């Protein structure tokens, strides 16, 4: 089993979200999608991210841009870094993922595409309404749903849970509850862990 804690406001998460789906299918693993707010994690346990944004190391920043472009090309995804609005407030989009439950993947995919590929501000209701139309969601029900207290509480609970389990960013991925991995580039290790787990269960 894979638990995938994610926030659509992260480009590395977009890559992992895209890449983990065929991997899971290949090894016959189920993915439990767990929407979070990465800003909540940074505020709680990883404020160094903000310091890095304020005073980036030029050589490292230049390489990171190239690295992201290389990974995006490898995955066949369009990623503009940075988008016009960065960082973005993804709270409504992530509440939308919670509200949609098992049906969240097409919506989350479209949110990632809109923000990272289309340079659209996913904090805006008009952009979210457009995404709802695209994936066949009733936008009135959507906006009513994401304003429910239970949905807000669940997003907060997911964010607190990933921190309590050792996470410090997005994507945080667990194999079989306790085996934690961070980031898109850990997918080969996740694949190995899943295959080991499958072999020991056989």
């Amino acid at each position: 089993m894979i638990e995938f804690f994610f926030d659509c406001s992260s480009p590395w998460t977009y890559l992992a979200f895209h890449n983990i789906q065929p991997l899971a299918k290949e090894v016959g693993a189920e993915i439990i999608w767990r929407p979070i707010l990465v800003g909540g994690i940074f505020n709680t346990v990883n404020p160094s991210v903000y310091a890095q944004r304020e005073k980036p190391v030029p050589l490292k920043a230049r390489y990171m841009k190239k690295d992201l472009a290389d990974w995006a090309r490898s995955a066949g995804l369009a990623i503009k870094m940075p988008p016009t609005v960065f960082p973005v407030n993804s709270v409504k989009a992530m509440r939308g993922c919670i509200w949609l439950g098992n049906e969240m993947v097409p919506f989350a995919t479209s949110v990632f595409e809109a923000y990272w590929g289309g340079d659209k501000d996913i904090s805006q209701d008009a952009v979210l309404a457009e995404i709802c139309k695209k994936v066949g969601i009733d936008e009135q029900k959507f906006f009513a749903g994401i304003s429910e207290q239970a949905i807000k509480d669940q997003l907060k609970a997911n964010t607190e849970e990933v921190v309590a389990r050792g996470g410090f960013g997005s994507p945080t991925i667990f194999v079989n509850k306790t085996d934690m991995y961070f980031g898109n580039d850990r997918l080969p290790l996740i694949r190995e862990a899943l295959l080991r787990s499958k072999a020991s269960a056989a």
Side-chain angles (χ1 to χ4, degrees):
M1 184 189 73
I2 301 165
E3 288 170 280
F4 190 94
F5 287 85
F6 74 103
D7 185 327
C8 292
S9 68
S10 153
W12 302 103
T13 305
Y14 182 18
L15 289 162
F17 180 90
H18 173 84
N19 290 330
I20 204 165
Q21 292 181 63
L23 186 158
K25 198 174 279 185
E26 178 206 336
V27 300
E30 182 194 2
I31 303 174
I32 311 293
W33 302 105
R34 305 293 303 277
I36 54 168
L37 275 183
V38 78
I41 295 178
F42 294 159
N43 293 339
T44 311
V45 292
N46 194 6
S48 65
V49 171
Y50 299 129
Q52 195 183 306
R53 278 181 193 159
E54 276 175 38
K55 288 186 178 173
V57 177
L59 293 176
K60 195 176 173 187
R62 192 167 69 207
Y63 175 73
M64 214 168 103
K65 201 168 180 179
K66 176 208 180 293
D67 194 31
L68 184 62
D70 288 344
W71 278 106
R73 190 184 310 108
S74 173
L77 298 176
I79 296 182
K80 176 185 188 265
M81 185 68 191
T84 304
V85 177
F86 182 78
V88 73
N89 183 339
S90 61
V91 67
K92 288 180 179 177
M94 300 320 295
R95 283 178 188 160
C97 289
I98 297 266
W99 177 71
L100 285 160
N102 293 334
E103 308 301 314
M104 76 174 77
V105 171
F107 173 77
T109 302
S110 290
V111 171
F112 276 121
E113 287 170 355
Y115 184 51
W116 292 108
D119 197 21
K120 292 180 178 174
D121 181 357
I122 56 166
S123 70
Q124 299 301 311
D125 286 0
V127 172
L128 292 172
E130 200 179 292
I131 291 167
C132 284
K133 276 197 196 92
K134 184 182 171 189
V135 295
I137 297 164
D138 183 311
E139 62 188 86
Q140 284 182 307
K141 285 182 184 169
F142 173 86
F143 287 110
I146 65 170
S147 64
E148 289 170 16
Q149 193 58 47
I151 299 299
K152 296 176 182 179
D153 291 347
Q154 187 59 57
L155 184 59
K156 189 169 185 280
N158 284 2
T159 305
E160 288 170 353
E161 181 189 332
V162 75
V163 170
R165 290 170 66 182
F168 50 86
S170 174
T172 299
I173 303 155
F174 289 91
V175 174
N176 297 334
K177 292 283 183 189
T178 54
D179 192 11
M180 187 181 98
Y181 297 87
F182 173 69
N184 171 68
D185 54 353
R186 300 303 187 275
L187 292 186
L189 299 179
I190 291 167
R191 184 177 180 276
E192 286 175 15
L194 289 163
L195 290 172
R196 277 197 310 273
S197 173
K198 205 174 177 184
S200 66

